Amino acid sequence: MGPQTPDDHEHRTATLEAFADTIIPGEKRSAGDRAVAGVGQGGGAVQAGAIELLEWDATGLTGGLGDFARALDGHATAYAAEHGIVLDGDVPAFVSLSYDDRAALVRWLTAPGHPEKALWVSLALFCNMAYDSAAHMSTADALAAGHPGLTAMGLSLPDADGLWRFRAWSYGRPLADIHPDTLPNGSLA
Amino acid sequence: MNSVERTDVLVIGSGFGGAIAAYHLAAGGAKVVVLERGPWLSSGEYEHDFKLGSSYTRIFDFVVGDGMSVLGGNCVGGGSVVYFAAMPRAPRFVFERRGSIARRMWPAAIDRDTLDPWYDRVEESIPITRQGWDDVSYAGGLWAAACRHAGRTANPVPAAVDTSTCVNCNWMMAGCRFDAKQSLLLNYLPAALAHGAQIRPLHEVQRISKTGDGGYRVHYLHVNDEDYRLTEGSGTIDAKVIVIAAGAAATPVILQRSEPDLGPMPYGVGRYFSGNGERLNTAVLNEDKVRDVLGLDRGDGLAYAANQIGKGPTVANWDRLDGSLPEYTRYSLEQLYFPPGLGTILALTDGPDASWFGPRKKEMLKRWQSWLIIFQMIEDDNEGVFGPPPERGNADRLSQQMLGVGRLSYKPTANTQAAWAMADADCKDILERDGLATVTPWTNDLVGAYTVHPLASCRIGDDPHTSALDDRHEVRGHPGIFVTDGSAVPGALTVNPAMTISALAERAVPGIVRAAQERGVEVTYGAPAPDGSTSGRRGTAHLVPSLMRK
């Protein structure tokens, strides 16, 4: 990878944000927000910390993020040409697409048989993890901070020591007949 | 500094297959070294945390293949530390399965009757609870009630969980902080250590070669304790007997990589892999219908909304485990908790434009507490084949922990696909009655199929062409090398396999002791259970002479 100017990095971040927002969409962070398409209510993968997670080398993706962004913009440019879409030169090509076009492109890139499928699935996996498990921060801290994904999913808060314990867990009564061949040890005969 | 380290028995892997062999051989007097590729954590280190680098990612491994991804343990204690502790015995018909080879795939010496005494021995060593309805989680209770509503039975699943200390936190895959789960760290492994066995974590075995005196040399790399992509030196240990129990996604890879030194491997090494026929469905429950149709109420104003609460699987529907039904139509439907991280991305929205991402998926995630995940275990066709080994280990590691790309290829046959479709339809039939839920299967389009119970990649059998191991678990053509993990199980079991893997490992020990004796090791067979109990030993005594035959 060659040296990057701040513009390169901004472009890369915007493109990756637009990808993450395609996976779990959120609402725009500001009126001028281009990367987040704004088709979701509340925070999506971007607000959940997708870029923080991707920029953490523990994922194994960080060194390739520039390539991911360039390739995605390349695919977006080709997609736009094929569909007669005029791109806005102010933002990276993928950011310039509407949500539905971004989604169609992601669907194509992650479909069985696409030669780059494994790469795009791995990128999507971490974008999803930023939202559904806040894998870049401690789960208890994420919940305390109102992390958009964990909060929307309704995860309960842990005890003061950071561990979950449920004092009620069972309906506490027989709810079905058991299989007639069940042995005293619980297995089938 | 050229001194060569020597031991009598070298065990690769410390999960069920490795721990059971290590305990009995050490207790019998052999010098035993266990090499484990993952770290060694104690219960105080098990965290309730999804952050990368917490215990969840340190001890759990996700290997992506072509058409099949495998989830497994990566720590001292192996699968027993991360599993959900369901311990049913395999149904009787399983041992008569023919599968893809059109004749009985299990060795003639093994059926349910001859394995039952070995199951008993495991049950004496690992405390297993027959759960009562008071132990069953809300999710399990909901599944039971839905099954009853559909005219089915439902069984609380026997589990290696001390229900008196379990707090139903559902963090089992990160290791049990409360020692409620009866992992191998609480029974076989401490007993092995007490008898002098050594366990070395972060030692990833790469290959085996010959020593020239009839013994073997095991070559390993030291793995960095935080970033598993890095290694820090290497070493070798010589041994008279080798027990490979690295897990069904790794054992065949070690043997494949050893082929240039050891000579040709049996055809069955790295073939006939089974994912235990596993597949998941997500039901999103209508809370009002749960209350109105099933009459369920938690007593706190909620009908269900308890996906997060519990201890993995607690209730299974076993109505299709009927030996009179044709092969590929028999399966379990088991309620299961699957944590976020890997447990949501493959779930599909319902309707004609089913999608794993996007606005509707986000709406589905909002109802996560009303999810009920159903785990299918069908009879697959042993379709998995391993390609040439990667540079090291069993995968090219992508992330510092947990995520790698392996060489397993799995193309489901029409039998497997039809069985999954049948089980999918059954889930829908049970859970969509009267508007209870909407049910969708997880997509196989992203990472292929997936399994938490890899099996059969180096299996026992009577036919040398379709089984890598003889019925005493010795690798054909390589005397003194044994395989005792899930690789040895011939095929899908239609239930959770840990109990069967353990029973087979117990059964394999007399033959391994015999081989060690023949190689000059002073070792005897006949240790009691790790806690000193002896009824399991009495129950298997009549089976031991034939397993120790020359």
Side-chain angles (χ1 to χ4, degrees):
Chain A
M1 230 182 328
Q4 292 200 330
T5 65
D7 278 355
D8 283 340
H9 198 82
E10 276 175 31
H11 271 216
R12 159 179 138 166
T13 298
T15 302
L16 295 171
E17 284 180 343
F19 181 88
D21 183 65
T22 309
I23 303 303
I24 306 285
E27 61 194 23
K28 285 188 180 291
R29 295 161 290 181
S30 65
D33 192 347
R34 297 289 303 273
V36 173
V39 302
Q41 291 180 339
V46 173
Q47 291 90 338
I51 301 304
E52 290 93 315
L53 179 58
L54 293 173
E55 293 283 1
W56 183 16
D57 183 49
T59 60
L61 296 182
T62 313
L65 291 180
D67 293 335
F68 270 114
R70 272 189 293 277
L72 192 55
D73 284 327
H75 286 303
T77 304
Y79 176 92
E82 189 184 327
H83 292 83
I85 297 167
V86 179
L87 292 171
D88 170 357
D90 292 344
V91 292
F94 186 74
V95 177
S96 183
L97 295 178
S98 70
Y99 181 83
D100 287 347
D101 287 321
R102 294 177 187 181
L105 185 52
V106 168
R107 206 169 295 122
W108 177 68
L109 291 171
T110 56
H114 193 285
E116 298 169 12
K117 178 191 152 190
L119 294 170
W120 300 111
V121 168
S122 64
L123 193 65
L125 176 67
F126 283 104
C127 294
N128 190 74
M129 281 170 73
Y131 186 81
D132 88 340
S133 50
H136 55 298
M137 58 194 298
S138 123
T139 307
D141 289 350
L143 275 166
H147 179 272
L150 301 185
T151 304
M153 288 163 65
L155 266 77
S156 67
L157 295 170
D159 290 347
D161 61 359
L163 301 175
W164 274 262
R165 296 173 187 83
F166 292 101
R167 275 87 189 168
W169 64 85
S170 179
Y171 295 111
R173 58 189 168 96
L175 288 163
D177 294 329
I178 62 168
H179 193 290
D181 298 338
T182 307
L183 297 170
N185 60 28
S187 288
L188 292 188
Chain B
M1 294 297 288
N2 280 335
S3 66
V4 174
E5 182 175 2
R6 289 191 172 83
T7 187
D8 292 333
V9 180
L10 190 293
V11 179
I12 304 170
S14 59
F16 290 103
I20 290 171
Y23 162 64
H24 281 288
L25 288 154
K31 187 178 175 196
V32 175
V33 174
V34 181
L35 299 182
E36 164 58 52
R37 72 175 177 176
W40 192 346
L41 275 67
S42 56
S43 50
E45 294 175 272
Y46 297 132
E47 297 159 290
H48 290 186
D49 205 325
F50 292 120
K51 186 179 182 182
L52 301 186
S54 64
S55 65
Y56 166 54
T57 64
R58 290 173 72 194
I59 65 178
F60 202 76
D61 232 31
F62 181 56
V63 179
V64 178
D66 174 16
M68 174 66 75
S69 295
V70 178
L71 293 96
N74 180 61
C75 58
V76 172
S80 82
V81 178
V82 299
Y83 84 143
F84 289 171
M87 290 291 263
R89 301 182 184 204
R92 186 166 292 275
F93 67 80
V94 157
F95 301 92
E96 309 306 320
R97 284 198 60 205
R98 298 162 70 87
S100 61
I101 59 174
R103 58 188 175 282
R104 194 174 186 273
M105 60 163 99
W106 283 77
I110 303 177
D111 59 19
R112 173 65 185 266
D113 290 329
T114 56
L115 202 58
D116 262 332
W118 300 104
Y119 279 132
D120 291 341
R121 206 154 173 14
V122 175
E123 205 162 276
E124 188 178 58
S125 302
I126 301 176
I128 295 169
T129 304
R130 180 185 178 181
Q131 299 188 80
W133 289 102
D134 285 343
D135 304 314
V136 163
S137 66
Y138 292 121
L142 170 62
W143 177 233
C147 285
R148 183 173 64 184
H149 181 64
R152 318 292 181 97
T153 69
N155 279 44
V157 176
V161 174
D162 176 354
T163 52
S164 69
T165 52
C166 176
V167 299
N168 290 280
C169 67
N170 255 339
W171 280 95
M172 298 177 90
M173 72 293 171
C176 182
R177 178 66 167 249
F178 306 101
D179 280 344
K181 178 162 67 178
Q182 303 297 299
S183 82
L184 296 164
L185 295 170
L186 301 179
N187 37 69
Y188 284 103
L189 286 172
L193 290 168
H195 284 288
Q198 295 180 38
I199 302 172
R200 299 187 192 163
L202 299 165
H203 283 59
E204 185 180 70
V205 171
Q206 307 302 319
R207 65 187 176 90
I208 302 162
S209 61
K210 292 181 181 174
T211 54
D213 60 357
Y216 295 100
R217 177 164 296 167
V218 171
H219 303 254
Y220 62 83
L221 293 172
H222 276 288
V223 180
N224 180 277
D225 67 356
E226 183 180 346
D227 190 336
Y228 301 161
R229 293 170 295 198
L230 309 176
T231 58
E232 299 166 341
S234 61
T236 61
I237 302 179
D238 289 359
K240 293 170 179 161
V241 169
I242 309 289
V243 177
I244 312 180
T251 287
V253 182
I254 292 168
L255 286 170
Q256 286 175 318
R257 199 182 281 116
S258 305
E259 197 160 15
D261 289 308
L262 295 182
M265 285 294 145
Y267 181 79
V269 169
R271 289 190 177 80
Y272 303 108
F273 173 95
S274 164
N276 202 34
E278 296 178 357
R279 178 173 169 85
L280 292 150
N281 276 227
T282 301
V284 182
L285 274 297
N286 178 321
E287 294 284 337
D288 292 337
K289 298 284 187 184
V290 170
R291 179 179 287 104
D292 298 343
V293 175
L294 299 181
L296 296 179
D297 195 317
R298 286 170 47 178
D300 55 2
L302 295 168
Y304 169 57
N307 184 28
Q308 191 183 349
I309 302 172
K311 39 188 172 291
T314 59
V315 168
N317 169 261
W318 286 338
D319 291 338
R320 297 292 306 184
L321 299 186
D322 176 347
S324 70
L325 297 171
E327 196 167 9
Y328 306 109
T329 70
R330 305 171 295 198
Y331 49 81
S332 297
L333 300 174
E334 186 171 276
Q335 163 268 325
L336 181 77
Y337 173 76
F338 213 100
L342 301 170
T344 71
I345 189 167
L346 302 179
L348 289 173
T349 60
D350 68 324
D353 298 320
S355 179
W356 56 270
F357 69 92
R360 287 178 55 230
K361 179 63 178 281
K362 190 181 177 194
E363 288 303 306
M364 186 182 177
L365 284 168
K366 249 190 206 170
R367 299 179 63 194
W368 180 77
Q369 285 287 16
S370 294
W371 286 23
L372 174 69
I373 296 178
I374 303 299
F375 184 47
Q376 308 170 354
M377 287 168 273
I378 59 117
E379 297 165 290
D380 76 354
D381 244 342
N382 296 79
E383 297 96 320
V385 178
F386 285 80
E391 190 180 338
R392 59 163 270 239
N394 71 330
D396 297 319
R397 287 194 173 274
L398 173 67
S399 304
Q400 69 171 17
Q401 297 161 3
M402 193 167 74
L403 186 59
V405 178
R407 298 293 183 272
L408 174 61
S409 166
Y410 186 97
K411 308 292 175 204
T413 64
N415 285 333
T416 299
Q417 298 201 42
W420 278 333
M422 191 175 182
D424 284 350
D426 222 4
C427 286
K428 233 175 160 54
D429 178 47
I430 293 169
L431 283 164
E432 291 195 343
R433 284 182 190 222
D434 297 316
L436 273 177
T438 54
V439 182
T440 52
W442 286 20
T443 178
N444 281 7
D445 287 349
L446 285 193
V447 293
Y450 38 81
T451 182
V452 293
H453 296 135
L455 300 173
S457 52
C458 197
R459 63 184 183 173
I460 51 172
D462 291 332
D463 173 6
H465 299 292
T466 61
S467 58
L469 314 175
D470 64 22
D471 76 333
R472 290 193 294 179
H473 293 241
E474 197 164 25
V475 180
R476 296 178 188 282
H478 299 276
I481 301 180
F482 292 81
V483 173
T484 55
D485 58 15
S487 324
V489 176
L493 297 174
T494 69
V495 292
N496 318 66
M499 186 64 167
T500 301
I501 294 168
S502 302
L504 288 174
E506 281 280 2
R507 182 185 171 278
V509 171
I512 300 171
V513 167
R514 175 76 205 188
Q517 289 170 342
E518 285 172 355
R519 288 165 173 265
V521 179
E522 288 189 26
V523 57
T524 57
Y525 177 74
D531 71 354
S533 305
T534 55
S535 73
R537 180 173 65 188
R538 275 197 303 282
T540 52
H542 67 289
L543 297 166
V544 170
S546 72
L547 291 164
M548 292 189 75
R549 70 188 186 270
K550 281 197 176 176

